Amino acid sequence: MKKIVSIALCLCFIGAGVVAQKKLVMLDKVVAVVGNSSINYTDVKQLAAQIMEQRRSEGYTSDRPAQDEALENLLTQKLLYNQALLDSVEISQADVVQRVEQQVQSMVDREGSITAVEKKSHMVIYHIRDLLRRQIEEQSYAQMMQQTVLGATKIIPGEVERYYNSMDKGNLPIITEQYMYAQITKFPHNMKEAKLR
């Protein structure tokens, strides 16, 4: 009788383990890293949804997938943001705080109360403010860097192409490739058992 009960309990635990494994859900993942900044899958999805909504409101369609465009926009923004940090570009913190408060207030107006906003986003309001502050700060740095780059530009792309085509290709400097390879490795708890398997 004890053997039957123990076997039944083992089967229950195994069944519970299988059910628990089926319920595993990926919350987020990193799809790209630029400098010290990472781009998450949820960021790409949110921006792609905004791009699709903008396309619908403006009444046009595109052959280009919205997720590709969103990823490219985020990569460009991260690149400009990291360059702005390197070049010590300054932004107005008062403007960032004002924009954060405007967005929080619009979220509260849309949902009805701070509690409803917290419930919908599954975060307390100060985490929401901090997340918005980081996003807006990054966007501001990227915009300032873009203005800095474009403000110094006095030539048009056609002039650059003509200049490049007129140059002797042998005199062009060689720029070595720069890349970094990263591998995520997880080691088993018991190496002997893993080798035997």
Side-chain angles (χ1 to χ4, degrees), residues 141-158:
Y141 274 117
Q143 288 169 353
M144 287 297 289
M145 190 66 213
Q146 188 172 19
Q147 289 173 4
T148 303
V149 169
L150 293 178
T153 305
K154 305 231 186 300
I155 57 174
I156 59 173

Side-chain angles (χ1 to χ4, degrees), residues 40-78:
N40 295 332
Y41 181 69
T42 53
D43 298 336
V44 176
K45 273 180 61 175
Q46 286 174 351
L47 186 58
Q50 289 174 1
I51 289 170
M52 288 300 292
E53 186 60 37
Q54 182 182 2
R55 287 179 184 172
R56 276 191 216 102
S57 67
E58 293 176 359
Y60 78 93
T61 59
S62 175
D63 293 339
R64 189 168 180 213
Q67 276 196 306
D68 292 355
E69 189 174 339
L71 180 60
E72 184 179 322
N73 290 346
L74 287 170
L75 286 169
T76 304
Q77 179 180 321
K78 296 285 186 184

Side-chain angles (χ1 to χ4, degrees), residues 121-192:
S121 63
H122 306 290
M123 287 189 274
V124 291
I125 197 71
Y126 63 87
H127 282 304
I128 296 169
R129 276 195 175 95
D130 186 48
L131 184 66
L132 285 172
R133 183 192 54 76
R134 279 188 268 145
Q135 288 174 348
I136 291 171
E137 203 171 72
E138 189 174 292
Q139 289 170 356
S140 298
Y141 274 117
Q143 288 169 353
M144 287 297 289
M145 190 66 213
Q146 188 172 19
Q147 289 173 4
T148 303
V149 169
L150 293 178
T153 305
K154 305 231 186 300
I155 57 174
I156 59 173
E159 290 176 318
V160 173
E161 190 175 344
R162 281 193 297 276
Y163 175 74
Y164 178 77
N165 290 336
S166 69
M167 289 182 69
D168 180 25
K169 304 303 184 249
N171 292 338
L172 292 175
I174 297 173
I175 300 172
T176 58
E177 291 183 14
Q178 296 179 351
Y179 58 90
M180 184 170 62
Y181 176 76
Q183 180 180 3
I184 299 172
T185 308
K186 183 176 180 184
F187 294 101
H189 295 292
N190 189 340
M191 289 297 285
K192 289 182 182 179

Side-chain angles (χ1 to χ4, degrees), residues 8-10 12 24 29 42 68 76 82 92 96 103 125 136 148 167 182 189:
L9 282 174
C10 286
C12 287
L24 291 178
K29 65 179 177 180
T42 53
D68 292 355
T76 304
N82 281 307
S92 168
V96 171
Q103 284 199 10
I125 197 71
I136 291 171
T148 303
M167 289 182 69
H189 295 292

